[in-house]
Amino acid sequence: MRIKDELKQDAIIQATVKLVNEIGFVSSSVAKIAREANVSPATIYIYYKNKEDLLVSTYVDIKQKLSEALLKNFDESKPFRDILKTVWLNGFEYVAKNIKHYQYAEQFSNSPYSDLVDHVKVEKHFEPMLKVLQKGIDQKVIKNVPHEMLAAFIFYPMMILSNPKLCKTLELSNENIEQAFTLAWDAIKF
Amino acid sequence: MRIKDELKQDAIIQATVKLVNEIGFVSSSVAKIAREANVSPATIYIYYKNKEDLLVSTYVDIKQKLSEALLKNFDESKPFRDILKTVWLNGFEYVAKNIKHYQYAEQFSNSPYSDLVDHVKVEKHFEPMLKVLQKGIDQKVIKNVPHEMLAAFIFYPMMILSNPKLCKTLELSNENIEQAFTLAWDAIKF
Amino acid sequence: MRIKDELKQDAIIQATVKLVNEIGFVSSSVAKIAREANVSPATIYIYYKNKEDLLVSTYVDIKQKLSEALLKNFDESKPFRDILKTVWLNGFEYVAKNIKHYQYAEQFSNSPYSDLVDHVKVEKHFEPMLKVLQKGIDQKVIKNVPHEMLAAFIFYPMMILSNPKLCKTLELSNENIEQAFTLAWDAIKF
Amino acid sequence: MRIKDELKQDAIIQATVKLVNEIGFVSSSVAKIAREANVSPATIYIYYKNKEDLLVSTYVDIKQKLSEALLKNFDESKPFRDILKTVWLNGFEYVAKNIKHYQYAEQFSNSPYSDLVDHVKVEKHFEPMLKVLQKGIDQKVIKNVPHEMLAAFIFYPMMILSNPKLCKTLELSNENIEQAFTLAWDAIKF
DNA sequence: GATGAATGAGTGTTCATTCAT
DNA sequence: CATGAATGAACACTCATTCAT
């Protein structure tokens, strides 16, 4: 027998991301994805239980890579602000390099498919970051507010500024990224 | 006959919003929307050119109402921070009362339908707010950064904190809303 | 609006019966049935909830017509044997004239779709016949055995002899039909 | 290796019969049969040319075993009625013990696959029985009517009474089986 | 001999839209 | 204005079968 072809599976994921970006979630049919991936529609069902599974798996895959990217060069021993800055820059770098994957994730997380994701599992990768946040709170470096509120002023602005759909005219120069970080930092610092 | 018409059109919009919330963009077919609105599918095509038109119009409708809500009690003569606070509270109130409409808009703005919207026109309603922002900059009350960056730290955190899909565990007490405003204000203040 | 076209519905039923006869239950797809009926596949779903519903309805329809045919000229006041003879001849006549419908019913009743039929309702049409059978038993004209056993020696042999699939070489002359009735009568008479 | 092979082939046949009984002819795909038999779909194509071949072979297999069962303890020298009685009882015993195989055969013989069977060959196994029937006719023990008509009053009632799909409420007690034989005998006896 | 990967053609069903009334 | 009937095209998915190992 043949063995599962990882190239094929990768082609399917890439095709999914590409199509969802180009024509949107609604119009991305299994047949079109298959054609884009140079694969038979039936082949997709070897690797994924159904369309839902394909879309969810692709999302989880992206989320994992995003969290890995964010925590690149993560060094708990550094000063709190430096850690945060590193994550901030990592975020912009990832989105710049993986804009399509990022936008796929955006579309996905606002769709009802999102309910099917095991969010606890996905967010586990961010745990080190959460620990650091808590340490910052304990050391009175940042404000003592719920983690989700902190995230709303650190990670989401980053996402929004990176998203050309939402931020149509703002150029993402290094200067702008630095400036935005100042705002984020001012928001949360004690 | 005018009254009857408007009732019908409103029923269609309500049905659209309801269905998109319950079963998502992908599964919301014209036939289902018609059934939900107690109307024939053909009737929808009397009020809207096609499905696209229906979805876009519904979005624009919601956006307009959102902007009206945000600018409720807008008084240019008040101190800058007070103006902002009013908008902030208006925002939370609107989303709390119109969560379904809000989530429809969220799903829509991340879909490719979004490209069909005349964003210039939609954002025109926010102009008074933008003027105030600029005045704040000129008077050195807030930081001199691009408007979009300011928005990313005022309006989007508001949206995110209001969105139960993104903020699953945070209770939206008055205290939390106040606290979040402090963060937003600290982010942008000069 | 247009009104439901009974000719269309009839064409669908005829196409269903014809195709199931020609290519069998397994191969009779909705698309093929639609093509045979000169109708769009989607049209079938206006008249029937799904394929299952189409097949079951067609069966029930045939069964009803069969029971009507069997009870043609039914006259309770006649002697028992005459009543039975009339039914017997009606049966052969019906099958001869409606061989395709009959064979559809045969295929259907041996398929698992059969479980979906409300048999109580279908068999209600035979009730007058059952009453007569019971009277025959009470008057000691026929043997006192369960109705189903009587049916196995009256109605089923009729069906089998009529079925060219099961009875490949037997010519169904009037003489043969008469002869067969003698056997049936001898089987059940007191 | 011979033993392993036969086990596999038998598993395939058993799986076919089981599935056709449980989900019907229409839904019984090669893949499902393979899974049920704990075998790869490709393996089935080693033993059978194609699906058709599998289904037909399974039918012929069952038919052969049925005819063997019917002719168990067949003794041409016994009185005609006793021979018939033995066959009658054998029939009920077989169906009771092999209800699934029997129902498979029923479904099959009403499907168009049935046309692919070499019926002459299949019916050859019944030849001894036909000879006995002819002797009964010649000796004026039973009526001089075509063999198929005799069969319609002996073998088919047996089949029908045994078939829980057709005979839903009749309990197959020994008494009932005896009683039914009386009817069959009365039908054909001279 | 035996396997699971692979597939084009097909499945039942729903789609957005138009038509006749 | 409003309708439900009608449809060709598309949908997600499964089919019987073949192929490389």
Side-chain angles (χ1 to χ4, degrees):
Chain A
M1 61 144 183
R2 302 181 198 164
I3 54 163
K4 270 191 189 174
D5 187 345
E6 277 199 25
L7 289 179
K8 226 154 225 160
Q9 176 150 24
D10 198 55
I12 293 169
I13 293 183
Q14 297 310 322
T16 304
V17 172
K18 188 179 175 213
L19 265 185
V20 168
N21 263 277
E22 284 173 5
I23 64 177
F25 242 96
V26 178
S27 310
S28 295
S29 69
V30 173
K32 287 177 191 161
I33 292 172
R35 206 174 307 124
E36 179 72 36
N38 268 317
V39 160
S40 163
T43 304
I44 289 181
Y45 289 85
I46 293 171
Y47 294 90
Y48 302 96
K49 221 171 57 214
N50 49 32
K51 190 187 179 182
E52 185 181 296
D53 186 26
L54 166 62
L55 297 177
V56 171
S57 299
T58 301
Y59 173 74
V60 171
D61 197 65
I62 289 173
K63 269 289 182 179
Q64 170 147 359
K65 278 171 188 156
L66 169 61
S67 66
E68 281 167 11
L70 283 177
L71 298 184
K72 203 177 63 180
N73 301 324
F74 187 80
D75 182 354
E76 219 180 319
S77 64
K78 280 194 195 165
F80 180 80
R81 197 177 185 276
D82 292 356
I83 296 175
L84 210 62
K85 182 80 169 276
T86 304
V87 172
W88 181 267
L89 296 176
N90 284 343
F92 278 96
E93 193 189 352
Y94 175 82
V95 177
K97 282 192 186 159
N98 302 86
I99 183 66
K100 289 198 172 176
H101 290 75
Y102 169 69
Q103 289 195 17
Y104 175 93
E106 282 296 285
Q107 279 204 57
F108 183 93
S109 61
N110 278 104
S111 82
Y113 288 124
S114 168
D115 300 337
L116 303 165
V117 175
D118 182 351
H119 289 285
V120 175
K121 203 171 150 196
V122 168
E123 277 152 28
K124 213 163 211 170
H125 300 106
F126 285 97
E127 248 173 27
M129 193 58 223
L130 291 180
K131 261 193 218 159
V132 168
L133 277 183
Q134 190 53 46
K135 211 164 74 180
I137 292 172
D138 294 341
Q139 297 173 350
K140 309 216 171 187
V141 180
I142 59 174
K143 297 189 175 95
N144 182 12
V145 295
H147 293 167
E148 287 183 308
M149 202 179 291
L150 294 171
F153 285 90
I154 310 171
F155 303 114
Y156 285 108
M158 182 174 92
M159 297 294 165
I160 282 144
L161 294 168
S162 306
N163 189 339
K165 269 208 167 170
L166 297 173
C167 241
K168 291 187 177 56
T169 59
L170 184 66
E171 183 208 359
L172 274 186
S173 62
N174 281 346
E175 195 186 357
N176 273 336
I177 293 174
E178 288 280 341
Q179 206 169 42
F181 183 70
T182 306
L183 272 74
W185 180 251
D186 287 350
I188 65 168
K189 79 169 178 211
F190 192 78
Chain B
M1 275 296 131
R2 289 271 305 224
I3 288 170
K4 197 180 170 193
D5 292 353
E6 279 179 21
L7 284 177
K8 258 192 178 97
Q9 179 149 24
D10 197 54
I12 293 169
I13 292 184
Q14 297 308 324
T16 305
V17 172
K18 188 180 176 215
L19 266 185
V20 168
N21 263 276
E22 285 174 4
I23 63 177
F25 244 97
V26 178
S27 310
S28 294
S29 69
V30 173
K32 286 179 191 161
I33 291 171
R35 205 175 306 127
E36 178 72 36
N38 270 318
V39 154
S40 163
T43 305
I44 290 180
Y45 287 83
I46 294 170
Y47 295 93
Y48 302 96
K49 221 172 57 209
N50 50 32
K51 190 187 180 184
E52 187 181 293
D53 186 25
L54 165 62
L55 296 177
V56 172
S57 299
T58 300
Y59 173 74
V60 171
D61 196 68
I62 289 173
K63 269 289 181 180
Q64 170 148 359
K65 279 172 187 154
L66 170 59
S67 66
E68 281 167 11
L70 282 177
L71 299 184
K72 203 177 63 179
N73 300 325
F74 188 79
D75 182 352
E76 219 180 318
S77 65
K78 279 195 194 164
F80 180 81
R81 196 177 185 275
D82 291 356
I83 297 175
L84 210 62
K85 182 78 169 279
T86 304
V87 173
W88 181 268
L89 295 176
N90 284 342
F92 277 97
E93 195 189 352
Y94 175 83
V95 177
K97 282 191 185 158
N98 302 86
I99 182 68
K100 287 198 174 176
H101 291 75
Y102 168 69
Q103 289 194 18
Y104 175 92
E106 282 295 284
Q107 278 203 56
F108 184 93
S109 61
N110 278 105
S111 82
Y113 287 126
S114 170
D115 300 338
L116 304 165
V117 174
D118 182 351
H119 289 283
V120 175
K121 201 172 150 195
V122 167
E123 277 152 27
K124 213 165 210 166
H125 300 105
F126 285 99
E127 247 173 28
M129 193 57 224
L130 292 180
K131 261 194 219 157
V132 169
L133 275 184
Q134 188 55 46
K135 212 165 74 181
I137 291 171
D138 294 341
Q139 296 174 350
K140 308 218 171 185
V141 180
I142 58 173
K143 297 190 176 95
N144 182 13
V145 296
H147 292 167
E148 286 182 308
M149 202 179 291
L150 293 171
F153 284 89
I154 309 172
F155 302 114
Y156 284 108
M158 184 175 89
M159 297 293 167
I160 281 145
L161 293 169
S162 305
N163 190 338
K165 268 206 171 174
L166 297 173
C167 240
K168 292 187 175 57
T169 60
L170 186 65
E171 182 207 0
L172 275 186
S173 64
N174 282 345
E175 196 186 356
N176 273 336
I177 293 174
E178 288 281 342
Q179 206 169 41
F181 182 71
T182 307
L183 271 74
W185 179 252
D186 287 349
I188 64 168
K189 79 170 178 208
F190 192 78
Chain C
M1 64 145 184
R2 303 181 198 166
I3 55 166
K4 268 190 190 174
D5 187 346
E6 279 200 21
L7 289 178
K8 226 154 226 165
Q9 177 149 24
D10 198 54
I12 293 169
I13 293 184
Q14 297 309 323
T16 304
V17 172
K18 189 180 175 213
L19 265 186
V20 168
N21 264 276
E22 284 174 5
I23 63 176
F25 242 94
V26 178
S27 310
S28 294
S29 70
V30 173
K32 286 177 192 162
I33 291 171
R35 206 175 308 124
E36 178 72 36
N38 268 318
V39 159
S40 162
T43 304
I44 289 181
Y45 288 84
I46 293 171
Y47 295 90
Y48 302 96
K49 223 171 56 214
N50 49 33
K51 190 187 180 183
E52 185 182 296
D53 186 27
L54 165 63
L55 297 177
V56 171
S57 299
T58 301
Y59 173 74
V60 171
D61 197 67
I62 290 173
K63 269 288 181 179
Q64 170 147 0
K65 279 171 186 154
L66 170 60
S67 67
E68 281 167 12
L70 283 178
L71 298 184
K72 203 176 64 178
N73 301 324
F74 188 79
D75 182 352
E76 217 180 319
S77 64
K78 280 194 194 165
F80 180 81
R81 196 174 184 277
D82 291 357
I83 296 175
L84 209 62
K85 182 78 170 278
T86 304
V87 172
W88 180 268
L89 295 176
N90 283 342
F92 278 97
E93 194 189 353
Y94 176 82
V95 177
K97 280 191 185 160
N98 302 86
I99 183 67
K100 288 199 172 175
H101 290 76
Y102 168 69
Q103 289 194 17
Y104 175 92
E106 283 295 287
Q107 278 204 55
F108 183 93
S109 61
N110 278 104
S111 82
Y113 288 124
S114 169
D115 300 338
L116 303 165
V117 175
D118 182 352
H119 289 285
V120 175
K121 204 171 147 195
V122 167
E123 276 153 29
K124 212 163 211 168
H125 300 105
F126 285 98
E127 247 174 27
M129 193 57 223
L130 291 180
K131 260 194 218 159
V132 169
L133 277 184
Q134 188 54 47
K135 212 165 74 179
I137 291 173
D138 293 340
Q139 297 175 350
K140 309 218 170 186
V141 180
I142 58 174
K143 298 191 174 93
N144 183 13
V145 296
H147 292 167
E148 287 182 308
M149 202 179 289
L150 293 171
F153 284 90
I154 310 172
F155 302 115
Y156 285 108
M158 184 175 89
M159 298 294 165
I160 281 145
L161 294 169
S162 304
N163 190 338
K165 268 208 169 172
L166 297 173
C167 240
K168 292 188 174 56
T169 59
L170 186 65
E171 182 207 1
L172 274 186
S173 63
N174 282 345
E175 196 188 355
N176 274 336
I177 292 174
E178 287 281 340
Q179 205 169 44
F181 182 70
T182 307
L183 272 72
W185 180 252
D186 288 348
I188 64 168
K189 77 169 180 211
F190 192 79
Chain D
M1 276 294 130
R2 288 272 304 224
I3 288 170
K4 196 179 172 193
D5 291 354
E6 280 181 18
L7 284 178
K8 256 192 179 95
Q9 178 148 22
D10 197 55
I12 293 169
I13 292 184
Q14 296 309 324
T16 305
V17 172
K18 188 178 176 214
L19 266 186
V20 168
N21 263 277
E22 284 174 5
I23 64 177
F25 243 95
V26 177
S27 310
S28 294
S29 69
V30 172
K32 286 179 191 161
I33 292 171
R35 205 174 309 126
E36 178 72 37
N38 270 317
V39 154
S40 164
T43 305
I44 290 181
Y45 287 83
I46 294 169
Y47 294 93
Y48 301 96
K49 218 172 61 208
N50 49 31
K51 190 187 181 184
E52 188 181 291
D53 185 25
L54 165 63
L55 297 177
V56 172
S57 299
T58 301
Y59 173 75
V60 171
D61 195 68
I62 290 173
K63 269 290 182 179
Q64 168 146 3
K65 278 170 187 155
L66 169 61
S67 66
E68 281 167 11
L70 283 177
L71 299 184
K72 202 178 64 180
N73 301 324
F74 188 80
D75 182 353
E76 218 180 319
S77 65
K78 280 196 194 162
F80 180 80
R81 197 175 184 277
D82 291 356
I83 296 175
L84 209 62
K85 181 80 170 276
T86 303
V87 172
W88 181 268
L89 295 176
N90 283 342
F92 277 96
E93 194 189 353
Y94 176 82
V95 176
K97 282 192 184 157
N98 302 85
I99 183 66
K100 289 199 171 175
H101 291 75
Y102 169 67
Q103 290 196 19
Y104 175 91
E106 283 295 284
Q107 279 204 57
F108 184 94
S109 61
N110 278 103
S111 81
Y113 288 126
S114 169
D115 300 338
L116 303 165
V117 175
D118 182 351
H119 289 285
V120 175
K121 201 172 148 196
V122 167
E123 277 153 26
K124 212 163 212 168
H125 302 104
F126 285 97
E127 247 174 27
M129 192 59 223
L130 291 181
K131 260 194 220 159
V132 169
L133 275 184
Q134 189 53 46
K135 211 165 76 182
I137 291 172
D138 294 341
Q139 297 174 349
K140 309 217 170 186
V141 179
I142 60 175
K143 296 188 177 95
N144 183 11
V145 296
H147 293 168
E148 287 182 309
M149 201 179 290
L150 293 171
F153 285 89
I154 310 171
F155 302 114
Y156 284 108
M158 183 174 91
M159 297 294 168
I160 281 145
L161 293 169
S162 305
N163 190 340
K165 269 206 169 172
L166 297 174
C167 239
K168 290 186 177 56
T169 59
L170 186 66
E171 183 208 0
L172 275 186
S173 63
N174 282 346
E175 196 186 354
N176 274 335
I177 293 175
E178 289 281 341
Q179 206 168 40
F181 183 71
T182 307
L183 272 74
W185 179 251
D186 286 350
I188 64 169
K189 78 169 179 212
F190 193 77

